[in-house]
């Protein structure tokens, strides 16, 4: 009812504007009136339908798997790209998984989500990557209990070379690529090198899960909710050599902002068990659940992609694996390395000038060394 | 509190609850997770993940296998836990085992939960499990118990929407009558579809009466089995979405002029459905209280389908009550 009333008022106003306009103009009165009215009537009619943006195309690989199952719903609901952004969701997986993918498509339909324009299941990269705006590369060998990160390396080089080439060939050049499948940093580097026509800055890998885990550990220690902890940093590789650094983190305690070290009041924990807890959390979850940490990974993916799309808050930074060339922290070039990042206009920038003490330096170097080794092994596989 | 908290549906559901999608963006939550003792290690993993999600509304997560802990002072209970449905398994296979589960949980609600608790039963056979729980919790009003038919409701909306080429939110006032089983009756005689030309009655929008009276009904009735066949697993994602919709509508009410489907206590209903059943009706909700939408015209086609699903529910109830007395 209120809508009809508003529309009627709108029509009357526009009619009046048209009449006044025609009176003031020097053109033929009647012609002008008809012209302006018809143009305005069209805009009124369009105003009856909810005004929405053009849909964006988003591909998720490994779409039949655990992490995607937790993730796709959040994307389709609007939690990542915004409540007014319609989405065409492309689900890519290997041929044996196509029947499972059909089940996922059925479920997404059954969720009755308004933003989901279309769901396209496929096993073909030329369909999967065509004209896409965002790619979330989840698919890789799943991590099982006891499996080391390096076990995954060889098989994954093949996967990410193919996908990098497909991005190069089919995706929009503005595509934002988030690599999740482990080993994430090295897979991201391989994909980026296989897509030379897409800027290296468009590629990133997920360390937001580790970042969220670190925030949560500090928050629980301080007895606050995790949104009261900010500016935690994850340096380096999304592996057990990652360095969760809280030297620049802040905790909001009863309204006043305190440095993390002062809030926690336990330096030994922050330099010891806190770090190892975050580093080994993935393995701990697998041990308990017998499955990978899909729910929290999906949440971190949403956070990462949403921050790329909408930017980070003033004064706050988050962690992302990005291309290390040109960094001011003495990290070797030609790596995908996790840094503290701020984002604006879909562009990230490493937060410069943070003081680094000897403790941090040693840890940052250790994880860089692992990444250099992974890269060199991977590049060998790549050139074969 | 969520039962079956270590399982598939809960895994999809807990995140949405903790995020604020159900009880509101300003409502902090203490989440209680109940499952059977062998699942406690898995439950610990779920607790870790919920912490790692860094969600501001989640005040506390308590994992337990004890009813006296899980049901204490509850405001809302979502009873997901029951025997999981596998490929080929019939609904009635689950009945006997579930009577034992829901009698115990009904008694626990009666003993420990707030008297204002809202209970949503999901575990199948949902309607009969809900009835058993309600009968085992005599000090809690029967109106506080409901079972999930929102998934079928959402599926029906989605089928009509795809047929008409509109988003699913443009389809409203679909009704699911009866049992959350293959005898459910998806009824679109009162459904409206928002097309670009305006709001149309569903039959006028779809322009295919034989589909609406035939394949459409069969598709919705058997969708659960179709998803299991494809995924080899139950439809956790869409079930979790439907649970959120159902509980959110209880908490915040339904929009004016719109009704949704819920399994509720049938005693006093205006449609001649037998009393003493949990039967899915069209309902409107205000101030956390539901009311069956009355005065909807029911033709012969609808009446026979409504009776068939009622008959199945009476048979399930009588079998269950026999188990209850045993």
């Amino acid at each position: 009812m209120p809508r009809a009333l508003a529309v009627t008022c709108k029509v009357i106003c526009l009619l009046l504007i048209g009449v006044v306009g025609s009176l003031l103009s020097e053109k033929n009165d009647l012609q002008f009136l008809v012209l302006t009215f018809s143009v305005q009537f069209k805009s009124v009619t369009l105003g009856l339908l909810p005004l929405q943006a053009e849909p964006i195309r988003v591909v998720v690989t490994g779409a039949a798997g655990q992490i995607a199952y937790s993730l796709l719903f959040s994307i389709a609901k609007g939690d990542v790209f915004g409540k007014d952004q319609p989405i065409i969701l492309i689900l890519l997986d290997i041929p044996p998984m196509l029947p499972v993918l059909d089940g996922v498509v059925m479920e997404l339909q059954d969720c009755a989500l308004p933003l989901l324009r279309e769901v396209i299941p496929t096993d073909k990269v030329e369909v999967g990557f065509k004209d896409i705006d965002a790619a979330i590369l989840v698919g890789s060998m799943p991590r099982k209990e006891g499996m080391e990160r390096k076990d995954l390396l060889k098989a994954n080089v093949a996967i990410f070379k193919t996908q990098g080439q497909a991005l190069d060939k089919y995706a929009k050049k503005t595509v934002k690529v988030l690599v999740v499948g482990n080993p994430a940093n090295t897979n991201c580097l391989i994909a980026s090198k296989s897509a030379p026509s897409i800027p290296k800055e468009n590629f990133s890998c997920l360390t937001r899960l580790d970042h969220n885990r670190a925030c949560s550990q500090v928050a629980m220690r301080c007895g606050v909710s995790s949104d009261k902890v900010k500016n935690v940093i994850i340096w380096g590789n999304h592996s057990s050599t990652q360095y969760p650094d809280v030297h620049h983190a802040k905790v909001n305690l009863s309204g006043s902002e305190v440095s993390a070290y002062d809030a926690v009041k336990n330096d030994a924990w922050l330099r010891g068990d806190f770090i190892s807890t975050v580093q080994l959390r993935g393995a701990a979850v697998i041990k308990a659940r017998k499955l990978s940490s899909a729910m929290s990974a999906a949440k971190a993916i949403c956070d990462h992609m949403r921050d790329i799309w909408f930017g980070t808050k003033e004064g706050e930074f988050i962690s992302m694996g990005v291309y290390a060339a040109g960094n001011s922290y003495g990290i070797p070039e030609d790596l995908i390395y996790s840094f503290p990042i701020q984002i604006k206009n879909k562009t990230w920038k490493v937060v410069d000038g943070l003081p680094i003490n000897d403790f941090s330096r040693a840890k940052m170097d250790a994880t860089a060394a692992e990444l250099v080794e992974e890269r060199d092994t991977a590049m060998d596989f790549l050139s074969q």
Side-chain angles (χ1 to χ4, degrees), chain A residues 56-60 71 74-75 78-82 87 132-138 174-180 202-208 212 297-312 318-320 343 346-347:
Chain A
I56 55 170
R57 299 176 72 89
V58 180
V59 67
V60 176
L71 171 66
S74 290
I75 294 176
D79 289 349
V80 182
F81 301 102
I87 292 173
I132 48 159
D133 298 282
I136 303 173
L137 309 185
V138 180
T174 49
V175 66
K176 302 285 182 277
V177 184
L178 166 54
V179 177
V180 178
N202 291 28
F203 286 81
S204 57
C205 83
L206 191 77
T207 51
R208 187 59 169 270
N212 288 351
K299 168 42 163 71
I301 292 167
C302 289
D303 289 342
H304 178 124
M305 202 44 118
R306 191 186 55 246
D307 285 347
I308 288 179
W309 225 254
F310 294 103
T312 48
I318 46 90
S319 307
M320 268 167 70
I343 304 171
K346 293 197 176 74
T347 308

Short mmCIF file of all heavy atoms in Angstrom, two decimals, chain A residues 56-60 71 74-75 78-82 87 132-138 174-180 202-208 212 297-312 318-320 343 346-347:
data_model
loop_
_atom_site.label_atom_id
_atom_site.label_comp_id
_atom_site.label_asym_id
_atom_site.label_seq_id
_atom_site.Cartn_x
_atom_site.Cartn_y
_atom_site.Cartn_z
N ILE A 56 27.62 -10.24 -10.97
CA ILE A 56 29.03 -10.56 -11.16
C ILE A 56 29.17 -12.07 -11.27
O ILE A 56 28.33 -12.82 -10.79
CB ILE A 56 29.93 -10.04 -10.01
CG1 ILE A 56 29.42 -10.56 -8.65
CG2 ILE A 56 30.01 -8.54 -10.03
CD1 ILE A 56 30.39 -10.30 -7.52
N ARG A 57 30.24 -12.49 -11.94
CA ARG A 57 30.47 -13.92 -12.13
C ARG A 57 31.57 -14.37 -11.17
O ARG A 57 32.68 -13.83 -11.18
CB ARG A 57 30.87 -14.20 -13.58
CG ARG A 57 29.80 -13.78 -14.58
CD ARG A 57 30.27 -13.97 -16.01
NE ARG A 57 30.34 -15.38 -16.37
CZ ARG A 57 29.32 -16.07 -16.89
NH1 ARG A 57 28.17 -15.48 -17.09
NH2 ARG A 57 29.46 -17.35 -17.18
N VAL A 58 31.22 -15.35 -10.36
CA VAL A 58 32.15 -15.84 -9.34
C VAL A 58 32.32 -17.34 -9.52
O VAL A 58 31.33 -18.07 -9.59
CB VAL A 58 31.59 -15.58 -7.92
CG1 VAL A 58 32.58 -16.08 -6.87
CG2 VAL A 58 31.30 -14.10 -7.72
N VAL A 59 33.57 -17.79 -9.62
CA VAL A 59 33.81 -19.23 -9.73
C VAL A 59 34.44 -19.75 -8.44
O VAL A 59 35.27 -19.07 -7.83
CB VAL A 59 34.71 -19.57 -10.95
CG1 VAL A 59 36.11 -19.04 -10.76
CG2 VAL A 59 34.73 -21.07 -11.18
N VAL A 60 33.99 -20.92 -8.03
CA VAL A 60 34.61 -21.63 -6.90
C VAL A 60 35.06 -22.98 -7.40
O VAL A 60 34.26 -23.73 -7.97
CB VAL A 60 33.62 -21.80 -5.72
CG1 VAL A 60 34.25 -22.62 -4.60
CG2 VAL A 60 33.16 -20.45 -5.20
N LEU A 71 30.95 -22.63 2.09
CA LEU A 71 31.22 -21.30 1.55
C LEU A 71 30.12 -20.78 0.61
O LEU A 71 29.76 -19.60 0.66
CB LEU A 71 32.55 -21.36 0.77
CG LEU A 71 32.96 -20.15 -0.06
CD1 LEU A 71 33.24 -18.96 0.82
CD2 LEU A 71 34.16 -20.48 -0.91
N SER A 74 27.12 -18.75 1.94
CA SER A 74 27.43 -17.38 2.36
C SER A 74 27.60 -16.45 1.17
O SER A 74 27.16 -15.30 1.20
CB SER A 74 28.72 -17.35 3.19
OG SER A 74 28.50 -17.96 4.43
N ILE A 75 28.24 -16.92 0.11
CA ILE A 75 28.41 -16.10 -1.08
C ILE A 75 27.04 -15.77 -1.67
O ILE A 75 26.73 -14.60 -1.94
CB ILE A 75 29.27 -16.82 -2.15
CG1 ILE A 75 30.70 -17.03 -1.66
CG2 ILE A 75 29.27 -16.03 -3.46
CD1 ILE A 75 31.57 -17.83 -2.61
N GLY A 78 24.88 -13.13 -0.02
CA GLY A 78 25.24 -11.72 -0.10
C GLY A 78 26.23 -11.27 0.97
O GLY A 78 26.54 -10.09 1.07
N ASP A 79 26.76 -12.24 1.73
CA ASP A 79 27.67 -11.89 2.82
C ASP A 79 29.03 -11.43 2.34
O ASP A 79 29.79 -10.83 3.10
CB ASP A 79 27.89 -13.10 3.75
CG ASP A 79 26.65 -13.42 4.58
OD1 ASP A 79 25.71 -12.58 4.58
OD2 ASP A 79 26.62 -14.48 5.21
N VAL A 80 29.39 -11.71 1.07
CA VAL A 80 30.72 -11.36 0.58
C VAL A 80 30.69 -10.12 -0.30
O VAL A 80 31.40 -9.16 -0.05
CB VAL A 80 31.35 -12.54 -0.20
CG1 VAL A 80 32.74 -12.20 -0.67
CG2 VAL A 80 31.37 -13.79 0.67
N PHE A 81 29.86 -10.16 -1.33
CA PHE A 81 29.87 -9.10 -2.32
C PHE A 81 28.79 -8.05 -2.09
O PHE A 81 28.62 -7.13 -2.88
CB PHE A 81 29.75 -9.71 -3.73
CG PHE A 81 30.87 -10.66 -4.05
CD1 PHE A 81 30.68 -12.03 -3.99
CD2 PHE A 81 32.13 -10.18 -4.37
CE1 PHE A 81 31.73 -12.91 -4.26
CE2 PHE A 81 33.18 -11.06 -4.66
CZ PHE A 81 32.98 -12.43 -4.59
N GLY A 82 28.03 -8.19 -1.00
CA GLY A 82 27.05 -7.17 -0.67
C GLY A 82 25.62 -7.61 -0.89
O GLY A 82 25.33 -8.42 -1.77
N ILE A 87 24.47 -12.43 -8.21
CA ILE A 87 25.64 -13.27 -8.49
C ILE A 87 25.30 -14.39 -9.44
O ILE A 87 24.24 -15.02 -9.32
CB ILE A 87 26.17 -13.87 -7.17
CG1 ILE A 87 26.76 -12.76 -6.30
CG2 ILE A 87 27.23 -14.94 -7.41
CD1 ILE A 87 27.16 -13.20 -4.92
N ILE A 132 35.05 -14.19 -15.68
CA ILE A 132 34.77 -14.08 -14.26
C ILE A 132 35.38 -12.85 -13.60
O ILE A 132 36.40 -12.34 -14.03
CB ILE A 132 35.18 -15.33 -13.47
CG1 ILE A 132 36.60 -15.77 -13.83
CG2 ILE A 132 34.24 -16.48 -13.70
CD1 ILE A 132 37.15 -16.61 -12.73
N ASP A 133 34.67 -12.38 -12.58
CA ASP A 133 35.09 -11.22 -11.79
C ASP A 133 35.86 -11.64 -10.55
O ASP A 133 36.69 -10.89 -10.04
CB ASP A 133 33.86 -10.42 -11.35
CG ASP A 133 33.09 -9.86 -12.52
OD1 ASP A 133 33.55 -8.84 -13.08
OD2 ASP A 133 32.05 -10.45 -12.88
N ALA A 134 35.56 -12.84 -10.04
CA ALA A 134 36.22 -13.32 -8.83
C ALA A 134 36.38 -14.82 -8.90
O ALA A 134 35.46 -15.52 -9.34
CB ALA A 134 35.43 -12.92 -7.58
N ALA A 135 37.54 -15.31 -8.48
CA ALA A 135 37.80 -16.74 -8.49
C ALA A 135 38.31 -17.16 -7.12
O ALA A 135 39.24 -16.55 -6.58
CB ALA A 135 38.85 -17.09 -9.54
N ILE A 136 37.68 -18.19 -6.56
CA ILE A 136 38.14 -18.73 -5.28
C ILE A 136 38.59 -20.16 -5.54
O ILE A 136 37.76 -21.04 -5.80
CB ILE A 136 37.03 -18.66 -4.22
CG1 ILE A 136 36.57 -17.20 -4.06
CG2 ILE A 136 37.55 -19.19 -2.88
CD1 ILE A 136 35.36 -17.02 -3.17
N LEU A 137 39.90 -20.35 -5.53
CA LEU A 137 40.46 -21.64 -5.91
C LEU A 137 40.67 -22.51 -4.67
O LEU A 137 41.71 -22.49 -4.03
CB LEU A 137 41.78 -21.43 -6.69
CG LEU A 137 41.70 -20.44 -7.86
CD1 LEU A 137 43.02 -20.41 -8.63
CD2 LEU A 137 40.54 -20.73 -8.79
N VAL A 138 39.62 -23.25 -4.35
CA VAL A 138 39.63 -24.10 -3.17
C VAL A 138 40.16 -25.49 -3.52
O VAL A 138 40.81 -26.15 -2.72
CB VAL A 138 38.20 -24.25 -2.58
CG1 VAL A 138 38.20 -25.14 -1.36
CG2 VAL A 138 37.62 -22.89 -2.26
N THR A 174 40.46 -7.94 -14.87
CA THR A 174 40.27 -7.34 -13.54
C THR A 174 39.97 -8.39 -12.47
O THR A 174 39.72 -8.04 -11.32
CB THR A 174 39.09 -6.37 -13.57
OG1 THR A 174 37.97 -7.05 -14.17
CG2 THR A 174 39.41 -5.13 -14.37
N VAL A 175 39.99 -9.67 -12.85
CA VAL A 175 39.59 -10.73 -11.91
C VAL A 175 40.43 -10.68 -10.63
O VAL A 175 41.64 -10.41 -10.67
CB VAL A 175 39.71 -12.12 -12.57
CG1 VAL A 175 41.17 -12.45 -12.88
CG2 VAL A 175 39.10 -13.20 -11.70
N LYS A 176 39.76 -10.95 -9.49
CA LYS A 176 40.48 -11.07 -8.22
C LYS A 176 40.50 -12.56 -7.87
O LYS A 176 39.46 -13.21 -7.85
CB LYS A 176 39.77 -10.31 -7.10
CG LYS A 176 39.60 -8.84 -7.39
CD LYS A 176 40.91 -8.08 -7.22
CE LYS A 176 40.74 -6.60 -7.47
NZ LYS A 176 40.78 -6.24 -8.89
N VAL A 177 41.71 -13.07 -7.66
CA VAL A 177 41.88 -14.50 -7.45
C VAL A 177 42.32 -14.77 -6.02
O VAL A 177 43.35 -14.23 -5.57
CB VAL A 177 42.93 -15.08 -8.43
CG1 VAL A 177 43.02 -16.59 -8.25
CG2 VAL A 177 42.58 -14.71 -9.86
N LEU A 178 41.58 -15.60 -5.32
CA LEU A 178 41.96 -15.99 -3.95
C LEU A 178 42.27 -17.47 -3.96
O LEU A 178 41.40 -18.29 -4.27
CB LEU A 178 40.82 -15.68 -2.97
CG LEU A 178 40.91 -16.30 -1.57
CD1 LEU A 178 42.24 -15.99 -0.90
CD2 LEU A 178 39.75 -15.80 -0.71
N VAL A 179 43.51 -17.82 -3.64
CA VAL A 179 43.91 -19.23 -3.60
C VAL A 179 43.81 -19.74 -2.17
O VAL A 179 44.38 -19.17 -1.24
CB VAL A 179 45.34 -19.42 -4.15
CG1 VAL A 179 45.75 -20.88 -4.03
CG2 VAL A 179 45.41 -18.94 -5.59
N VAL A 180 43.06 -20.83 -2.00
CA VAL A 180 42.86 -21.44 -0.69
C VAL A 180 43.52 -22.81 -0.61
O VAL A 180 44.13 -23.17 0.40
CB VAL A 180 41.34 -21.59 -0.40
CG1 VAL A 180 41.10 -22.25 0.95
CG2 VAL A 180 40.66 -20.24 -0.48
N ASN A 202 46.52 -8.97 -8.45
CA ASN A 202 45.16 -9.52 -8.38
C ASN A 202 45.11 -10.88 -7.71
O ASN A 202 44.04 -11.42 -7.47
CB ASN A 202 44.56 -9.63 -9.79
CG ASN A 202 44.28 -8.27 -10.39
OD1 ASN A 202 44.94 -7.29 -10.06
ND2 ASN A 202 43.30 -8.21 -11.27
N PHE A 203 46.31 -11.45 -7.45
CA PHE A 203 46.37 -12.77 -6.84
C PHE A 203 46.68 -12.64 -5.35
O PHE A 203 47.53 -11.86 -4.95
CB PHE A 203 47.46 -13.61 -7.50
CG PHE A 203 47.10 -14.11 -8.87
CD1 PHE A 203 47.23 -13.28 -9.98
CD2 PHE A 203 46.63 -15.40 -9.05
CE1 PHE A 203 46.88 -13.74 -11.24
CE2 PHE A 203 46.29 -15.87 -10.31
CZ PHE A 203 46.42 -15.04 -11.41
N SER A 204 45.99 -13.43 -4.54
CA SER A 204 46.32 -13.47 -3.11
C SER A 204 46.01 -14.88 -2.59
O SER A 204 45.29 -15.64 -3.23
CB SER A 204 45.52 -12.44 -2.32
OG SER A 204 44.13 -12.63 -2.51
N CYS A 205 46.61 -15.20 -1.43
CA CYS A 205 46.27 -16.48 -0.82
C CYS A 205 45.76 -16.24 0.60
O CYS A 205 45.98 -15.19 1.19
CB CYS A 205 47.46 -17.44 -0.84
SG CYS A 205 48.64 -17.22 0.50
N LEU A 206 45.07 -17.24 1.10
CA LEU A 206 44.36 -17.10 2.37
C LEU A 206 45.27 -17.34 3.57
O LEU A 206 45.80 -18.43 3.73
CB LEU A 206 43.20 -18.11 2.43
CG LEU A 206 42.21 -17.92 3.58
CD1 LEU A 206 41.26 -16.77 3.27
CD2 LEU A 206 41.42 -19.20 3.83
N THR A 207 45.48 -16.28 4.38
CA THR A 207 46.04 -16.49 5.72
C THR A 207 45.08 -15.90 6.75
O THR A 207 45.42 -15.78 7.93
CB THR A 207 47.45 -15.86 5.86
OG1 THR A 207 47.40 -14.51 5.44
CG2 THR A 207 48.47 -16.63 5.04
N ARG A 208 43.89 -15.52 6.28
CA ARG A 208 42.90 -14.90 7.17
C ARG A 208 42.39 -15.88 8.23
O ARG A 208 41.96 -15.46 9.32
CB ARG A 208 41.74 -14.37 6.34
CG ARG A 208 40.72 -13.57 7.12
CD ARG A 208 41.36 -12.36 7.79
NE ARG A 208 40.36 -11.47 8.32
CZ ARG A 208 39.81 -10.47 7.64
NH1 ARG A 208 40.18 -10.24 6.40
NH2 ARG A 208 38.88 -9.70 8.20
N ASN A 212 42.28 -14.93 11.98
CA ASN A 212 41.09 -15.02 12.83
C ASN A 212 41.35 -15.89 14.05
O ASN A 212 40.88 -15.60 15.15
CB ASN A 212 39.89 -15.58 12.04
CG ASN A 212 39.34 -14.60 11.04
OD1 ASN A 212 39.71 -13.43 11.02
ND2 ASN A 212 38.44 -15.06 10.18
N ALA A 297 37.23 -22.03 7.75
CA ALA A 297 37.91 -21.65 6.51
C ALA A 297 36.97 -20.84 5.63
O ALA A 297 37.35 -19.80 5.07
CB ALA A 297 38.39 -22.88 5.76
N ALA A 298 35.71 -21.30 5.54
CA ALA A 298 34.74 -20.58 4.72
C ALA A 298 34.53 -19.16 5.27
O ALA A 298 34.44 -18.19 4.51
CB ALA A 298 33.41 -21.34 4.70
N LYS A 299 34.45 -19.04 6.58
CA LYS A 299 34.29 -17.71 7.20
C LYS A 299 35.47 -16.81 6.84
O LYS A 299 35.31 -15.64 6.48
CB LYS A 299 34.14 -17.90 8.70
CG LYS A 299 34.22 -16.69 9.66
CD LYS A 299 33.55 -15.47 9.29
CE LYS A 299 33.32 -14.45 10.39
NZ LYS A 299 34.51 -13.76 10.89
N ALA A 300 36.69 -17.37 6.91
CA ALA A 300 37.89 -16.58 6.61
C ALA A 300 37.91 -16.17 5.14
O ALA A 300 38.30 -15.04 4.80
CB ALA A 300 39.14 -17.37 6.96
N ILE A 301 37.49 -17.08 4.25
CA ILE A 301 37.43 -16.76 2.82
C ILE A 301 36.48 -15.58 2.60
O ILE A 301 36.79 -14.64 1.86
CB ILE A 301 36.97 -17.99 2.00
CG1 ILE A 301 38.04 -19.08 2.04
CG2 ILE A 301 36.64 -17.60 0.57
CD1 ILE A 301 37.56 -20.44 1.54
N CYS A 302 35.32 -15.65 3.24
CA CYS A 302 34.35 -14.55 3.12
C CYS A 302 34.94 -13.24 3.61
O CYS A 302 34.79 -12.19 2.97
CB CYS A 302 33.08 -14.87 3.92
SG CYS A 302 32.10 -16.19 3.18
N ASP A 303 35.61 -13.27 4.77
CA ASP A 303 36.23 -12.05 5.31
C ASP A 303 37.24 -11.48 4.33
O ASP A 303 37.26 -10.28 4.06
CB ASP A 303 36.96 -12.38 6.63
CG ASP A 303 36.01 -12.68 7.78
OD1 ASP A 303 34.81 -12.34 7.69
OD2 ASP A 303 36.48 -13.27 8.78
N HIS A 304 38.12 -12.34 3.81
CA HIS A 304 39.19 -11.93 2.90
C HIS A 304 38.61 -11.28 1.64
O HIS A 304 38.99 -10.15 1.27
CB HIS A 304 40.02 -13.18 2.56
CG HIS A 304 41.15 -12.99 1.60
ND1 HIS A 304 42.45 -13.34 1.89
CD2 HIS A 304 41.19 -12.52 0.32
CE1 HIS A 304 43.22 -13.10 0.84
NE2 HIS A 304 42.50 -12.61 -0.12
N MET A 305 37.68 -11.97 1.00
CA MET A 305 37.12 -11.48 -0.26
C MET A 305 36.28 -10.23 -0.03
O MET A 305 36.31 -9.31 -0.85
CB MET A 305 36.29 -12.60 -0.90
CG MET A 305 36.09 -12.46 -2.39
SD MET A 305 37.55 -12.00 -3.34
CE MET A 305 37.76 -13.42 -4.40
N ARG A 306 35.54 -10.19 1.07
CA ARG A 306 34.73 -9.03 1.36
C ARG A 306 35.61 -7.80 1.59
O ARG A 306 35.29 -6.70 1.16
CB ARG A 306 33.84 -9.27 2.58
CG ARG A 306 32.77 -8.20 2.81
CD ARG A 306 32.01 -8.41 4.12
NE ARG A 306 32.92 -8.48 5.24
CZ ARG A 306 33.12 -9.57 5.97
NH1 ARG A 306 32.45 -10.68 5.75
NH2 ARG A 306 33.99 -9.55 6.96
N ASP A 307 36.75 -7.98 2.27
CA ASP A 307 37.65 -6.86 2.51
C ASP A 307 38.29 -6.38 1.20
O ASP A 307 38.53 -5.18 1.03
CB ASP A 307 38.73 -7.24 3.53
CG ASP A 307 38.17 -7.27 4.96
OD1 ASP A 307 37.04 -6.77 5.17
OD2 ASP A 307 38.85 -7.79 5.85
N ILE A 308 38.57 -7.30 0.27
CA ILE A 308 39.07 -6.89 -1.04
C ILE A 308 38.01 -6.02 -1.72
O ILE A 308 38.30 -4.97 -2.29
CB ILE A 308 39.41 -8.09 -1.94
CG1 ILE A 308 40.67 -8.81 -1.45
CG2 ILE A 308 39.61 -7.64 -3.40
CD1 ILE A 308 41.07 -10.02 -2.27
N TRP A 309 36.76 -6.47 -1.65
CA TRP A 309 35.68 -5.80 -2.38
C TRP A 309 35.33 -4.45 -1.78
O TRP A 309 35.06 -3.50 -2.49
CB TRP A 309 34.45 -6.72 -2.39
CG TRP A 309 33.82 -6.80 -3.73
CD1 TRP A 309 32.64 -6.22 -4.14
CD2 TRP A 309 34.33 -7.50 -4.88
NE1 TRP A 309 32.39 -6.51 -5.46
CE2 TRP A 309 33.41 -7.29 -5.94
CE3 TRP A 309 35.47 -8.26 -5.13
CZ2 TRP A 309 33.59 -7.84 -7.22
CZ3 TRP A 309 35.65 -8.80 -6.38
CH2 TRP A 309 34.72 -8.59 -7.40
N PHE A 310 35.30 -4.37 -0.46
CA PHE A 310 34.80 -3.16 0.19
C PHE A 310 35.87 -2.39 0.96
O PHE A 310 35.59 -1.30 1.46
CB PHE A 310 33.66 -3.52 1.16
CG PHE A 310 32.44 -4.03 0.44
CD1 PHE A 310 32.14 -5.38 0.41
CD2 PHE A 310 31.60 -3.15 -0.23
CE1 PHE A 310 31.02 -5.86 -0.26
CE2 PHE A 310 30.48 -3.62 -0.91
CZ PHE A 310 30.19 -4.97 -0.93
N GLY A 311 37.08 -2.93 1.07
CA GLY A 311 38.13 -2.21 1.76
C GLY A 311 38.16 -2.49 3.25
O GLY A 311 37.20 -3.00 3.83
N THR A 312 39.27 -2.14 3.87
CA THR A 312 39.44 -2.32 5.31
C THR A 312 39.12 -1.02 6.03
O THR A 312 39.16 0.05 5.43
CB THR A 312 40.88 -2.73 5.65
OG1 THR A 312 41.79 -1.87 4.95
CG2 THR A 312 41.15 -4.17 5.24
N ILE A 318 44.66 -6.21 8.08
CA ILE A 318 44.38 -7.64 8.10
C ILE A 318 45.53 -8.36 7.40
O ILE A 318 46.46 -7.73 6.92
CB ILE A 318 43.03 -7.95 7.41
CG1 ILE A 318 42.89 -7.22 6.08
CG2 ILE A 318 41.87 -7.53 8.30
CD1 ILE A 318 43.38 -7.95 4.89
N SER A 319 45.48 -9.68 7.39
CA SER A 319 46.59 -10.46 6.83
C SER A 319 46.19 -11.15 5.54
O SER A 319 45.11 -11.74 5.45
CB SER A 319 47.05 -11.53 7.82
OG SER A 319 47.35 -10.96 9.08
N MET A 320 47.05 -11.05 4.56
CA MET A 320 46.82 -11.69 3.25
C MET A 320 48.15 -12.12 2.67
O MET A 320 49.15 -11.40 2.83
CB MET A 320 46.28 -10.65 2.25
CG MET A 320 44.80 -10.55 2.17
SD MET A 320 44.27 -9.07 1.28
CE MET A 320 44.77 -9.47 -0.40
N ILE A 343 43.33 -2.16 2.58
CA ILE A 343 42.74 -2.23 1.24
C ILE A 343 41.80 -1.06 1.00
O ILE A 343 41.00 -0.70 1.88
CB ILE A 343 41.94 -3.53 1.05
CG1 ILE A 343 42.81 -4.76 1.34
CG2 ILE A 343 41.38 -3.62 -0.38
CD1 ILE A 343 42.06 -6.07 1.40
N LYS A 346 39.53 -1.75 -3.91
CA LYS A 346 39.91 -3.09 -4.37
C LYS A 346 41.42 -3.25 -4.58
O LYS A 346 41.85 -4.17 -5.28
CB LYS A 346 39.17 -3.46 -5.67
CG LYS A 346 37.67 -3.63 -5.48
CD LYS A 346 37.05 -4.38 -6.67
CE LYS A 346 35.58 -4.67 -6.48
NZ LYS A 346 34.69 -3.54 -6.62
N THR A 347 42.22 -2.35 -3.98
CA THR A 347 43.67 -2.43 -4.12
C THR A 347 44.31 -2.55 -2.75
O THR A 347 44.02 -1.78 -1.85
CB THR A 347 44.21 -1.16 -4.81
OG1 THR A 347 43.47 -0.95 -6.00
CG2 THR A 347 45.69 -1.31 -5.15
#
